[in-house]
């Protein structure tokens, strides 16, 4: 497979697993096109045209030094200049694949957060409330990433002539879909049952060995789960803490997340919501693995690095 084929596969798999469905993604892109068509010439010039085709602007190809057939990839959760140097040292890496966005993917991280409005709406939160509260949070994230040194890793890849891409939200979508299917199939009754179920997932089992396994952040093992929502797995970054009260009103009993901040925890406690943290890097690994299985089936060799634990389900 060539780099562009691998990248397109990630985007297509992300769309297939997306809470919005194919139709929802089509509408999202159509809306982007409408916005673009209303722009004046100067605004059109500045507009990132990839937004018209790609619903995941936090996932990009950053550098193609040599457009070759990819046989071996180095894959990590966070790719920084150190990982680029590692790839060079290993010697025969055809492509480096990161998870968390860098470069213009990081600059556009807030763009994918719109997805959370649809996820919340899917679980019963009225769309006007989801959009209203997410708008503030999306703006906050956009300001937060603005100060970052976006191009540092991309510059390293250019200097060392390494091919570099990342897949963030497509992989997080795969993890969210996997967990949603698992929970719908097993229907855990109490929080303890839910934790037990998560601990059966190999990525979480591995994380437990280093003390980073699934944990109850709010609630207790004997609490009943009620309606379980996967609102904090995909969609770029954490949502608004103010949403927890609205989620409880919408009938959600338990939220599964990758990670939550203290402010979110406080709000969840006040709303009597249970919060189960599956684990950050382990959930990232789960989504990356589901994508990489397709590369493995194509005969591509995978070298994991930077916190990523490779577990194959390709057989
Ligand atoms: Fe992550």
């Amino acid at each position: 497979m060539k780099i562009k084929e691998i990248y397109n596969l990630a985007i297509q798999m992300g769309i297939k697993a997306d809470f919005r469905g194919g139709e929802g993604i089509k509408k999202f892109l159509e809306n982007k096109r409408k916005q673009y068509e209303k722009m004046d010439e100067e605004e059109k010039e500045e507009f990132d045209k990839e937004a018209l085709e790609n619903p995941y602007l936090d996932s990009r190809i950053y550098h193609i030094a040599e457009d070759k057939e990819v046989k071996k990839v180095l894959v990590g959760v966070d790719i920084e200049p150190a990982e680029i140097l590692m790839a060079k040292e290993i010697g025969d890496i055809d492509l480096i694949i990161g998870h968390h966005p860098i470069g213009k993917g990081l600059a556009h991280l807030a763009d994918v957060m719109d997805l959370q409005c649809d996820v919340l709406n899917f679980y019963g939160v009225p769309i006007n409330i989801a959009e209203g509260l997410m708008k503030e949070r999306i703006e906050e994230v956009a300001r937060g990433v603005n100060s970052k040194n976006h191009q540092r890793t991309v510059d390293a890849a250019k200097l060392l002539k390494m091919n570099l891409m990342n897949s963030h939200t497509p992989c997080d979508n795969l993890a969210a879909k996997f967990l949603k299917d698992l929970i719908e199939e097993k229907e855990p009754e109490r929080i303890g049952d839910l934790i037990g179920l998560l601990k059966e997932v190999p990525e979480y089992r591995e994380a437990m060995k280093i003390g980073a396994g699934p944990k109850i952040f709010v609630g207790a093992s004997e609490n009943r789960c009620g309606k379980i929502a996967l609102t904090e797995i995909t969609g770029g970054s954490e949502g608004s803490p103010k949403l927890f009260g609205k989620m409880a009103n919408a009938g959600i009993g338990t939220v599964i997340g990758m990670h939550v901040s203290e402010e979110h925890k406080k709000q969840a406690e006040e709303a009597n919501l249970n919060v189960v943290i599956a684990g950050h890097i382990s959930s990232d690994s789960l989504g990356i693995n589901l994508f990489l299985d397709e590369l493995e089936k194509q005969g591509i060799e995978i070298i994991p690095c930077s916190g990523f634990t490779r577990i194959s389900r390709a057989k």
Side-chain angles (χ1 to χ4, degrees):
M1 288 175 97
K2 291 285 191 76
I3 299 161
K4 191 87 178 97
E5 288 173 310
I6 291 174
Y7 176 78
N8 287 341
L9 175 68
I11 301 296
Q12 287 317 313
M13 286 178 75
I15 291 174
K16 234 175 135 190
D18 200 291
F19 271 87
R20 294 169 288 192
E23 265 312 295
I25 298 276
K26 226 173 110 189
K27 275 193 210 161
F28 175 79
L29 292 175
E30 273 167 14
N31 196 38
K32 279 272 168 74
R33 186 165 290 278
K34 272 186 212 155
Q35 287 172 359
Y36 174 71
E37 276 156 10
K38 275 187 218 151
M39 288 175 184
D40 62 32
E41 282 314 307
E42 202 181 327
E43 286 169 323
K44 277 187 180 165
E45 195 61 44
E46 286 170 15
F47 185 79
D48 185 349
K49 314 280 184 301
E50 205 177 319
L52 302 173
E53 315 280 338
N54 176 7
Y56 310 117
L57 292 184
D58 63 348
S59 304
R60 308 283 188 126
I61 295 173
Y62 299 100
H63 186 57
I64 299 181
E66 190 191 345
D67 192 12
K68 54 183 163 184
E69 192 64 28
V70 175
K71 296 191 191 77
K72 196 170 183 178
V73 290
L74 182 74
V75 185
V77 175
D78 291 291
I79 298 298
E80 295 190 344
E83 281 73 24
I84 308 280
L85 275 166
M86 274 165 47
K88 200 79 192 168
E89 187 70 25
I90 294 168
D92 52 355
I93 300 294
D94 302 311
L95 172 66
I96 303 168
I97 305 177
H99 178 58
H100 290 145
I102 48 178
K104 61 179 175 179
L106 179 59
H108 288 82
L109 173 63
D111 187 79
V112 298
M113 293 179 73
D114 197 66
L115 157 63
Q116 290 188 42
C117 299
D118 293 81
V119 176
L120 287 157
N121 189 231
F122 174 86
Y123 286 112
V125 178
I127 192 67
N128 54 313
I129 293 176
E131 280 187 345
L133 291 177
M134 280 306 297
K135 190 173 181 289
E136 290 176 26
R137 178 68 186 133
I138 290 171
E139 285 166 1
E140 192 179 284
V141 169
R143 284 194 298 275
V145 295
N146 198 46
S147 62
K148 299 275 194 280
N149 184 357
H150 302 90
Q151 283 298 91
R152 188 177 174 219
T153 304
V154 181
D155 287 342
K158 285 180 183 169
L159 277 169
L160 294 178
K161 300 185 175 57
M162 298 302 298
N163 297 324
L164 175 65
M165 63 164 270
N166 87 305
S167 169
H168 186 226
T169 293
C171 289
D172 285 348
N173 278 355
L174 293 172
K177 173 86 169 53
F178 179 94
L179 293 172
K180 184 173 172 282
D181 290 348
L182 181 71
I183 286 158
E184 281 173 4
E185 187 200 338
K186 305 280 174 157
E187 296 182 335
E189 194 198 346
R190 295 186 188 260
I191 297 295
D193 303 328
L194 174 59
I195 293 279
L197 185 61
L198 290 174
K199 284 181 177 174
E200 285 172 26
V201 177
E203 282 83 351
Y204 298 133
R205 219 179 313 146
E206 280 303 309
M208 279 164 60
K209 293 181 190 164
I210 58 152
K215 288 184 178 66
I216 305 169
F217 265 45
V218 183
S221 180
E222 60 278 12
N223 286 6
R224 275 176 286 191
C225 299
K227 185 154 110 186
I228 302 170
L230 291 139
T231 51
E232 298 277 328
I233 298 286
T234 191
S237 185
E238 248 185 348
S240 164
K242 292 179 195 162
L243 276 161
F244 283 108
K246 308 295 178 193
M247 284 192 238
N249 289 344
I252 294 169
T254 300
V255 170
I256 301 183
M258 278 203 198
H259 45 89
V260 287
S261 65
E262 284 303 304
E263 178 56 20
H264 284 68
K265 183 176 172 288
K266 246 186 273 163
Q267 296 289 335
E269 272 164 351
E270 271 174 38
N272 286 305
L273 268 178
N274 300 303
V275 178
V276 167
I277 291 308
H280 181 193
I281 305 305
S282 46
S283 300
D284 284 342
S285 287
L286 170 62
I288 302 166
N289 277 322
L290 295 167
F291 162 53
L292 291 182
D293 287 346
E294 296 309 309
L295 300 194
E296 191 185 304
K297 284 180 198 164
Q298 300 292 323
I300 295 173
E301 189 186 341
I302 295 151
I303 311 286
C305 73
S306 179
F308 166 56
T309 307
R310 172 69 184 145
I311 284 154
S312 172
R313 295 172 177 84
K315 277 125 214 148

